[in-house]
Amino acid sequence: MTSDPRPYNLIAELTYRCPLQCPYCSNPTNFGNTLNRELTADEWARVFREAAGLGVMQVGLTGGEPGARPDLKRIVEKAAEAGLYPHLVTAGTVFSREKLAALQSAGLISVQLSVQDAAAEGSDAIAGVPSYARKLDFARWAQELGIPLILNVVLHRHNLGHVQEIVELAVRLGAHRLELANTQYYGWALTNRAALLPTPAQLEAARSTVESARKQYPALELLFVLPDYFAEYPKPCMGGWGSQSLLVNPTGDVLPCHAAHGIPGLHFENVRDKPLRAIWLDSTSFNKFRGTDWMREPCRSCERKEVDFGGCRCQALLLTGDAANADPVCHLSPHHQIVAAAQEEGLRPSPAFRFRTLPASLNQASR
Protein backbone atom coordinates (compact mmCIF):
# COMPACT_ATOMS: atom_id res chain seq x y z
CA MET A 1 0.00 0.00 0.00
CA THR A 2 1.22 3.53 -0.76
CA SER A 3 0.66 4.83 2.77
CA ASP A 4 0.04 3.45 6.20
CA PRO A 5 -3.63 2.57 6.75
CA ARG A 6 -5.33 4.34 9.63
CA PRO A 7 -7.90 2.60 11.83
CA TYR A 8 -10.87 4.74 12.81
CA ASN A 9 -12.76 2.20 14.91
CA LEU A 10 -11.75 -0.14 17.72
CA ILE A 11 -14.02 -3.05 18.57
CA ALA A 12 -13.29 -3.91 22.20
CA GLU A 13 -14.67 -7.33 23.08
CA LEU A 14 -14.55 -7.05 26.86
CA THR A 15 -15.89 -10.53 27.61
CA TYR A 16 -17.67 -13.47 25.98
CA ARG A 17 -19.90 -13.87 29.05
CA CYS A 18 -23.57 -13.16 28.36
CA PRO A 19 -26.86 -14.12 30.02
CA LEU A 20 -28.54 -14.52 26.61
CA GLN A 21 -28.23 -17.56 24.37
CA CYS A 22 -28.95 -16.12 20.90
CA PRO A 23 -28.52 -18.77 18.20
CA TYR A 24 -26.96 -16.27 15.77
CA CYS A 25 -24.28 -14.94 18.14
CA SER A 26 -21.07 -14.01 16.30
CA ASN A 27 -18.86 -15.07 19.23
CA PRO A 28 -16.70 -18.17 18.68
CA THR A 29 -18.43 -21.46 19.40
CA ASN A 30 -15.44 -22.74 21.42
CA PHE A 31 -14.39 -19.88 23.67
CA GLY A 32 -14.64 -21.56 27.10
CA ASN A 33 -10.88 -21.54 27.70
CA THR A 34 -10.68 -17.74 27.29
CA LEU A 35 -12.96 -16.77 30.14
CA ASN A 36 -10.35 -16.66 32.91
CA ARG A 37 -7.77 -14.68 30.90
CA GLU A 38 -9.66 -11.47 30.15
CA LEU A 39 -7.75 -8.20 29.91
CA THR A 40 -7.90 -6.11 33.07
CA ALA A 41 -9.23 -2.55 33.11
CA ASP A 42 -5.66 -1.25 33.30
CA GLU A 43 -4.68 -3.32 30.28
CA TRP A 44 -7.66 -1.96 28.38
CA ALA A 45 -6.58 1.56 29.38
CA ARG A 46 -3.22 1.00 27.66
CA VAL A 47 -4.97 -0.42 24.58
CA PHE A 48 -7.19 2.69 24.41
CA ARG A 49 -4.20 5.04 24.64
CA GLU A 50 -2.35 3.15 21.93
CA ALA A 51 -5.47 3.04 19.74
CA ALA A 52 -5.90 6.81 20.05
CA GLY A 53 -2.27 7.21 19.03
CA LEU A 54 -3.03 5.26 15.85
CA GLY A 55 -5.89 7.58 14.96
CA VAL A 56 -8.83 5.58 16.33
CA MET A 57 -11.78 7.81 17.17
CA GLN A 58 -14.55 5.46 18.39
CA VAL A 59 -14.42 2.41 20.62
CA GLY A 60 -17.32 -0.02 20.62
CA LEU A 61 -17.49 -1.73 24.02
CA THR A 62 -19.01 -5.07 23.23
CA GLY A 63 -18.86 -8.80 23.92
CA GLY A 64 -20.66 -11.04 24.86
CA GLU A 65 -22.32 -8.69 27.28
CA PRO A 66 -19.98 -5.90 28.41
CA GLY A 67 -22.24 -5.31 31.40
CA ALA A 68 -20.94 -8.62 32.74
CA ARG A 69 -17.72 -6.78 33.64
CA PRO A 70 -17.94 -5.40 37.20
CA ASP A 71 -15.24 -2.89 36.21
CA LEU A 72 -17.14 -1.55 33.17
CA LYS A 73 -17.37 1.97 34.64
CA ARG A 74 -13.59 2.14 34.99
CA ILE A 75 -13.16 0.83 31.43
CA VAL A 76 -15.48 3.56 30.12
CA GLU A 77 -13.53 6.17 32.10
CA LYS A 78 -10.26 4.99 30.60
CA ALA A 79 -11.68 5.07 27.06
CA ALA A 80 -12.90 8.63 27.57
CA GLU A 81 -9.58 9.70 29.15
CA ALA A 82 -7.79 8.40 26.05
CA GLY A 83 -9.87 10.77 23.93
CA LEU A 84 -12.03 8.07 22.35
CA TYR A 85 -15.79 8.09 21.78
CA PRO A 86 -17.10 5.31 24.06
CA HIS A 87 -20.10 3.48 22.58
CA LEU A 88 -21.77 0.62 24.47
CA VAL A 89 -23.15 -2.39 22.58
CA THR A 90 -25.43 -4.30 24.95
CA ALA A 91 -28.43 -6.55 25.42
CA GLY A 92 -29.43 -4.21 28.26
CA THR A 93 -30.59 -6.86 30.70
CA VAL A 94 -27.93 -6.54 33.41
CA PHE A 95 -28.27 -2.81 34.03
CA SER A 96 -30.12 -0.61 36.47
CA ARG A 97 -30.88 3.05 35.81
CA GLU A 98 -28.22 3.96 38.35
CA LYS A 99 -25.59 1.80 36.68
CA LEU A 100 -26.36 3.32 33.27
CA ALA A 101 -26.22 6.84 34.74
CA ALA A 102 -22.84 6.02 36.29
CA LEU A 103 -21.51 4.98 32.88
CA GLN A 104 -22.79 8.23 31.41
CA SER A 105 -20.97 10.17 34.13
CA ALA A 106 -17.83 8.16 33.34
CA GLY A 107 -17.92 9.32 29.72
CA LEU A 108 -20.28 6.99 27.87
CA ILE A 109 -21.66 8.85 24.84
CA SER A 110 -24.08 6.46 23.11
CA VAL A 111 -25.57 2.98 23.33
CA GLN A 112 -26.70 0.28 20.94
CA LEU A 113 -29.38 -1.99 22.36
CA SER A 114 -30.14 -5.38 20.82
CA VAL A 115 -33.75 -6.54 20.71
CA GLN A 116 -34.63 -9.89 19.18
CA ASP A 117 -38.18 -9.15 17.99
CA ALA A 118 -41.00 -6.61 18.24
CA ALA A 119 -42.85 -8.36 21.06
CA ALA A 120 -41.90 -10.30 24.17
CA GLU A 121 -42.85 -13.77 22.98
CA GLY A 122 -40.67 -13.74 19.88
CA SER A 123 -37.82 -11.80 21.47
CA ASP A 124 -37.56 -14.08 24.49
CA ALA A 125 -37.78 -17.20 22.31
CA ILE A 126 -34.74 -16.10 20.29
CA ALA A 127 -32.80 -14.86 23.31
CA GLY A 128 -33.34 -18.22 25.00
CA VAL A 129 -34.30 -16.51 28.28
CA PRO A 130 -36.94 -13.96 29.39
CA SER A 131 -35.30 -10.60 28.68
CA TYR A 132 -37.62 -8.36 26.62
CA ALA A 133 -39.07 -6.42 29.56
CA ARG A 134 -35.63 -5.51 30.89
CA LYS A 135 -34.57 -4.35 27.43
CA LEU A 136 -37.48 -1.92 27.33
CA ASP A 137 -36.50 -0.66 30.78
CA PHE A 138 -32.97 -0.01 29.51
CA ALA A 139 -34.28 1.90 26.49
CA ARG A 140 -36.50 4.03 28.71
CA TRP A 141 -33.59 4.86 31.03
CA ALA A 142 -31.40 5.83 28.06
CA GLN A 143 -34.12 8.16 26.83
CA GLU A 144 -34.59 9.70 30.30
CA LEU A 145 -30.84 10.25 30.66
CA GLY A 146 -30.52 11.72 27.19
CA ILE A 147 -28.15 9.03 25.92
CA PRO A 148 -28.46 8.59 22.13
CA LEU A 149 -29.98 5.17 21.45
CA ILE A 150 -29.44 2.87 18.49
CA LEU A 151 -31.71 -0.15 18.26
CA ASN A 152 -30.28 -3.25 16.58
CA VAL A 153 -32.43 -6.19 15.50
CA VAL A 154 -30.90 -9.21 13.78
CA LEU A 155 -33.35 -10.42 11.15
CA HIS A 156 -34.01 -14.02 10.08
CA ARG A 157 -36.89 -16.19 8.93
CA HIS A 158 -38.63 -16.03 12.33
CA ASN A 159 -38.95 -12.24 12.59
CA LEU A 160 -38.68 -10.86 9.05
CA GLY A 161 -42.45 -10.64 8.91
CA HIS A 162 -42.44 -8.24 11.88
CA VAL A 163 -40.39 -5.41 10.39
CA GLN A 164 -43.21 -2.86 10.56
CA GLU A 165 -43.79 -3.64 14.24
CA ILE A 166 -40.05 -3.44 14.91
CA VAL A 167 -39.89 0.00 13.30
CA GLU A 168 -42.82 1.17 15.41
CA LEU A 169 -41.08 -0.17 18.53
CA ALA A 170 -37.95 1.82 17.68
CA VAL A 171 -40.04 4.98 17.32
CA ARG A 172 -41.75 4.38 20.67
CA LEU A 173 -38.42 3.80 22.40
CA GLY A 174 -37.00 7.06 21.08
CA ALA A 175 -34.22 5.45 19.03
CA HIS A 176 -32.57 7.79 16.54
CA ARG A 177 -31.28 4.88 14.44
CA LEU A 178 -32.62 1.40 13.74
CA GLU A 179 -30.27 -1.23 12.35
CA LEU A 180 -32.13 -4.08 10.71
CA ALA A 181 -29.21 -6.42 10.21
CA ASN A 182 -30.07 -9.64 8.43
CA THR A 183 -28.13 -12.55 9.90
CA GLN A 184 -24.60 -13.05 8.61
CA TYR A 185 -23.52 -16.65 8.91
CA TYR A 186 -20.51 -16.93 11.22
CA GLY A 187 -20.11 -18.41 14.70
CA TRP A 188 -23.36 -19.71 16.12
CA ALA A 189 -25.30 -18.38 13.14
CA LEU A 190 -23.50 -20.76 10.80
CA THR A 191 -24.32 -23.62 13.17
CA ASN A 192 -28.00 -22.56 13.00
CA ARG A 193 -28.08 -21.55 9.34
CA ALA A 194 -30.84 -23.96 8.35
CA ALA A 195 -33.07 -22.55 11.11
CA LEU A 196 -32.34 -18.90 10.29
CA LEU A 197 -32.12 -18.55 6.51
CA PRO A 198 -35.15 -16.71 5.09
CA THR A 199 -36.82 -17.09 1.73
CA PRO A 200 -36.32 -14.55 -1.07
CA ALA A 201 -40.00 -13.63 -0.73
CA GLN A 202 -39.51 -12.79 2.96
CA LEU A 203 -36.55 -10.57 2.15
CA GLU A 204 -38.36 -8.73 -0.61
CA ALA A 205 -41.39 -8.10 1.59
CA ALA A 206 -39.15 -6.79 4.37
CA ARG A 207 -37.26 -4.55 1.96
CA SER A 208 -40.54 -3.08 0.72
CA THR A 209 -41.68 -2.48 4.30
CA VAL A 210 -38.44 -0.67 5.09
CA GLU A 211 -38.84 1.64 2.10
CA SER A 212 -42.35 2.54 3.21
CA ALA A 213 -41.18 3.04 6.81
CA ARG A 214 -38.50 5.48 5.68
CA LYS A 215 -41.21 7.69 4.25
CA GLN A 216 -43.48 7.20 7.25
CA TYR A 217 -40.78 7.99 9.84
CA PRO A 218 -38.26 10.34 8.17
CA ALA A 219 -36.65 11.29 11.50
CA LEU A 220 -35.60 7.67 12.14
CA GLU A 221 -32.35 6.64 10.49
CA LEU A 222 -33.20 3.20 9.15
CA LEU A 223 -30.51 0.78 7.98
CA PHE A 224 -31.42 -2.47 6.23
CA VAL A 225 -28.47 -4.83 5.70
CA LEU A 226 -29.11 -7.55 3.13
CA PRO A 227 -27.75 -10.98 4.10
CA ASP A 228 -24.63 -11.85 2.12
CA TYR A 229 -26.15 -15.04 0.77
CA PHE A 230 -28.72 -13.06 -1.22
CA ALA A 231 -26.45 -10.31 -2.57
CA GLU A 232 -25.03 -10.05 -6.09
CA TYR A 233 -21.68 -8.83 -4.83
CA PRO A 234 -19.97 -9.35 -1.47
CA LYS A 235 -19.44 -6.66 1.16
CA PRO A 236 -15.89 -5.48 1.87
CA CYS A 237 -14.68 -7.17 5.03
CA MET A 238 -14.80 -4.46 7.73
CA GLY A 239 -14.36 -1.88 4.96
CA GLY A 240 -11.33 -3.82 3.75
CA TRP A 241 -9.09 -6.19 5.71
CA GLY A 242 -6.84 -4.15 8.00
CA SER A 243 -7.85 -0.82 6.50
CA GLN A 244 -10.36 0.86 8.84
CA SER A 245 -11.06 -1.23 11.94
CA LEU A 246 -9.37 -3.52 14.38
CA LEU A 247 -10.74 -5.82 17.04
CA VAL A 248 -9.20 -6.75 20.39
CA ASN A 249 -10.78 -9.85 21.88
CA PRO A 250 -11.25 -10.50 25.62
CA THR A 251 -7.81 -12.06 26.06
CA GLY A 252 -5.95 -9.41 24.06
CA ASP A 253 -5.54 -10.98 20.63
CA VAL A 254 -5.79 -8.35 17.88
CA LEU A 255 -7.80 -9.32 14.80
CA PRO A 256 -9.04 -7.60 11.64
CA CYS A 257 -12.58 -8.90 12.22
CA HIS A 258 -14.76 -11.04 14.52
CA ALA A 259 -14.24 -14.38 12.80
CA ALA A 260 -10.60 -14.15 11.67
CA HIS A 261 -9.41 -16.35 14.55
CA GLY A 262 -10.56 -19.38 12.57
CA ILE A 263 -8.23 -18.84 9.60
CA PRO A 264 -5.53 -21.53 9.73
CA GLY A 265 -1.92 -20.49 9.41
CA LEU A 266 -2.44 -17.00 10.84
CA HIS A 267 -0.95 -16.07 14.20
CA PHE A 268 -2.66 -13.14 15.85
CA GLU A 269 -0.43 -11.01 18.04
CA ASN A 270 -1.48 -10.07 21.57
CA VAL A 271 -1.47 -6.63 23.19
CA ARG A 272 0.19 -8.17 26.24
CA ASP A 273 3.22 -8.93 24.09
CA LYS A 274 3.44 -6.13 21.51
CA PRO A 275 2.30 -2.50 21.11
CA LEU A 276 -0.89 -2.03 19.13
CA ARG A 277 0.87 0.09 16.49
CA ALA A 278 3.36 -2.67 15.70
CA ILE A 279 0.56 -5.22 15.43
CA TRP A 280 -1.55 -3.00 13.18
CA LEU A 281 1.24 -1.98 10.82
CA ASP A 282 3.69 -4.88 10.80
CA SER A 283 2.04 -8.14 11.85
CA THR A 284 1.72 -10.93 9.31
CA SER A 285 -1.95 -11.38 10.15
CA PHE A 286 -2.95 -7.78 9.33
CA ASN A 287 -0.87 -7.68 6.15
CA LYS A 288 -1.97 -11.09 4.86
CA PHE A 289 -5.07 -9.82 3.02
CA ARG A 290 -4.48 -6.06 3.18
CA GLY A 291 -4.89 -4.26 -0.13
CA THR A 292 -5.19 -6.21 -3.38
CA ASP A 293 -1.79 -7.81 -4.12
CA TRP A 294 -2.80 -11.11 -2.48
CA MET A 295 -5.80 -11.63 -4.76
CA ARG A 296 -6.34 -14.54 -7.11
CA GLU A 297 -8.55 -14.53 -10.16
CA PRO A 298 -11.31 -13.56 -10.74
CA CYS A 299 -10.72 -10.87 -8.10
CA ARG A 300 -7.27 -9.83 -9.33
CA SER A 301 -8.58 -8.48 -12.64
CA CYS A 302 -12.04 -7.42 -11.42
CA GLU A 303 -12.98 -3.75 -11.68
CA ARG A 304 -14.56 -4.02 -8.21
CA LYS A 305 -11.41 -5.25 -6.44
CA GLU A 306 -10.94 -1.94 -4.62
CA VAL A 307 -14.66 -1.73 -3.85
CA ASP A 308 -15.28 -5.03 -2.08
CA PHE A 309 -11.65 -6.28 -1.76
CA GLY A 310 -12.69 -9.79 -2.70
CA GLY A 311 -15.36 -9.92 0.01
CA CYS A 312 -15.06 -11.69 3.32
CA ARG A 313 -11.98 -13.82 3.94
CA CYS A 314 -13.65 -15.71 6.77
CA GLN A 315 -16.69 -16.53 4.65
CA ALA A 316 -14.42 -17.73 1.84
CA LEU A 317 -12.72 -20.05 4.31
CA LEU A 318 -15.94 -21.33 5.89
CA LEU A 319 -17.61 -22.10 2.56
CA THR A 320 -14.73 -23.05 0.26
CA GLY A 321 -12.00 -24.17 2.67
CA ASP A 322 -9.52 -21.48 1.52
CA ALA A 323 -9.50 -17.90 2.84
CA ALA A 324 -7.75 -16.65 -0.32
CA ASN A 325 -10.60 -17.65 -2.64
CA ALA A 326 -13.12 -15.16 -3.92
CA ASP A 327 -16.01 -14.81 -1.50
CA PRO A 328 -18.57 -17.31 -2.87
CA VAL A 329 -21.31 -14.75 -2.29
CA CYS A 330 -20.09 -13.00 -5.44
CA HIS A 331 -21.93 -14.19 -8.54
CA LEU A 332 -18.57 -14.15 -10.37
CA SER A 333 -16.93 -16.55 -7.92
CA PRO A 334 -16.26 -20.07 -9.24
CA HIS A 335 -17.67 -21.28 -5.89
CA HIS A 336 -20.91 -19.33 -6.04
CA GLN A 337 -22.95 -22.53 -6.37
CA ILE A 338 -22.21 -23.22 -2.68
CA VAL A 339 -24.20 -20.13 -1.69
CA ALA A 340 -26.90 -20.83 -4.24
CA ALA A 341 -27.36 -24.31 -2.78
CA ALA A 342 -27.41 -22.96 0.78
CA GLN A 343 -30.28 -20.61 -0.08
CA GLU A 344 -32.50 -23.64 -0.48
CA GLU A 345 -32.26 -24.28 3.28
CA GLY A 346 -34.56 -21.32 3.77
CA LEU A 347 -37.28 -23.09 1.80
CA ARG A 348 -37.33 -26.08 4.14
CA PRO A 349 -38.98 -26.37 7.57
CA SER A 350 -36.90 -24.82 10.32
CA PRO A 351 -35.05 -27.26 12.59
CA ALA A 352 -34.72 -26.52 16.30
CA PHE A 353 -32.16 -23.94 17.36
CA ARG A 354 -28.85 -24.88 18.90
CA PHE A 355 -28.58 -22.12 21.49
CA ARG A 356 -25.34 -20.43 22.45
CA THR A 357 -24.09 -21.99 25.68
CA LEU A 358 -21.45 -21.40 28.33
CA PRO A 359 -20.54 -23.27 31.51
CA ALA A 360 -23.21 -22.33 34.04
CA SER A 361 -20.64 -20.93 36.46
CA LEU A 362 -19.39 -18.49 33.84
CA ASN A 363 -22.61 -17.52 32.08
CA GLN A 364 -23.74 -15.00 34.66
CA ALA A 365 -23.40 -11.28 34.30
CA SER A 366 -22.54 -9.02 37.21
CA ARG A 367 -25.27 -6.60 38.22
Side-chain angles (χ1 to χ4, degrees):
M1 301 185 73
T2 56
S3 61
D4 290 341
R6 168 187 169 176
Y8 294 92
N9 181 50
L10 169 64
I11 302 167
E13 290 187 326
L14 303 184
T15 182
Y16 288 142
R17 287 171 286 167
C18 183
L20 305 190
Q21 302 170 12
C22 304
Y24 49 68
C25 181
S26 63
N27 287 167
T29 56
N30 58 345
F31 53 75
N33 63 350
T34 70
L35 294 167
N36 297 316
R37 297 185 289 114
E38 295 175 352
L39 295 180
T40 66
D42 286 341
E43 288 173 320
W44 277 114
R46 178 172 56 81
V47 170
F48 296 150
R49 292 193 300 269
E50 293 180 1
L54 273 171
V56 167
M57 302 175 67
Q58 173 173 295
V59 55
L61 304 172
T62 183
E65 171 51 64
R69 291 283 301 243
D71 54 356
L72 179 59
K73 180 175 181 288
R74 178 171 169 78
I75 290 172
V76 171
E77 287 175 340
K78 293 303 179 182
E81 287 174 6
L84 302 180
Y85 178 115
H87 173 69
L88 179 67
V89 181
T90 179
T93 63
V94 300
F95 289 89
S96 64
R97 189 184 191 282
E98 292 72 26
K99 184 175 179 178
L100 183 57
L103 295 182
Q104 183 184 36
S105 297
L108 182 68
I109 295 178
S110 61
V111 297
Q112 176 185 299
L113 173 67
S114 67
V115 176
Q116 282 64 41
D117 207 337
E121 182 179 4
S123 184
D124 291 348
I126 292 294
V129 295
S131 54
Y132 181 81
R134 292 192 62 84
K135 291 172 181 288
L136 298 196
D137 286 341
F138 181 94
R140 185 179 72 254
W141 298 329
Q143 187 175 35
E144 291 171 358
L145 293 167
I147 303 174
L149 173 67
I150 297 171
L151 199 67
N152 176 274
V153 182
V154 177
L155 297 178
H156 43 81
R157 71 159 75 183
H158 300 279
N159 65 5
L160 264 167
H162 306 156
V163 167
Q164 180 65 35
E165 292 86 351
I166 291 169
V167 171
E168 292 169 357
L169 174 66
V171 173
R172 292 199 305 274
L173 295 179
H176 76 274
R177 176 181 170 96
L178 171 61
E179 297 178 349
L180 296 170
N182 279 278
T183 305
Q184 307 297 342
Y185 294 96
Y186 309 94
W188 293 90
L190 184 61
T191 298
N192 286 290
R193 189 176 69 182
L196 295 166
L197 268 169
T199 66
Q202 282 183 301
L203 284 171
E204 184 53 41
R207 193 205 309 263
S208 177
T209 300
V210 168
E211 291 304 313
S212 297
R214 288 188 173 125
K215 298 174 184 176
Q216 185 178 5
Y217 301 107
L220 176 66
E221 184 182 355
L222 217 171
L223 178 68
F224 182 77
V225 181
L226 190 71
D228 284 356
Y229 282 37
F230 293 86
E232 184 178 9
Y233 295 105
K235 300 178 182 68
C237 175
M238 304 293 287
W241 180 283
S243 66
Q244 297 179 14
S245 298
L246 70 163
L247 179 149
V248 179
N249 76 8
T251 59
D253 290 340
V254 188
L255 298 91
C257 68
H258 294 82
H261 58 84
I263 298 178
L266 285 187
H267 170 68
F268 295 101
E269 305 283 0
N270 194 284
V271 294
R272 286 172 168 146
D273 304 319
K274 286 191 176 180
L276 197 59
R277 177 178 292 275
I279 297 172
W280 170 258
L281 292 176
D282 302 327
S283 68
T284 301
S285 58
F286 271 85
N287 284 295
K288 178 69 173 179
F289 300 112
R290 187 173 260 159
T292 59
D293 291 346
W294 60 271
M295 289 181 176
R296 301 172 180 169
E297 294 294 352
C299 298
R300 179 177 291 273
S301 58
C302 181
E303 62 182 13
R304 291 179 54 87
K305 68 179 181 181
E306 293 187 2
V307 175
D308 56 39
F309 298 97
C312 177
R313 299 302 86 224
C314 302
Q315 192 154 254
L317 171 70
L318 290 170
L319 297 182
T320 74
D322 190 336
N325 284 334
D327 188 334
V329 162
C330 183
H331 74 288
L332 300 174
S333 167
H335 304 284
H336 182 65
Q337 74 279 359
I338 296 172
V339 171
Q343 290 179 8
E344 297 180 5
E345 294 177 6
L347 302 175
R348 302 169 189 155
S350 173
F353 289 130
R354 180 184 169 192
F355 286 100
R356 176 190 188 275
T357 56
L358 268 177
S361 61
L362 297 171
N363 205 26
Q364 301 301 315
S366 300
R367 295 184 181 273

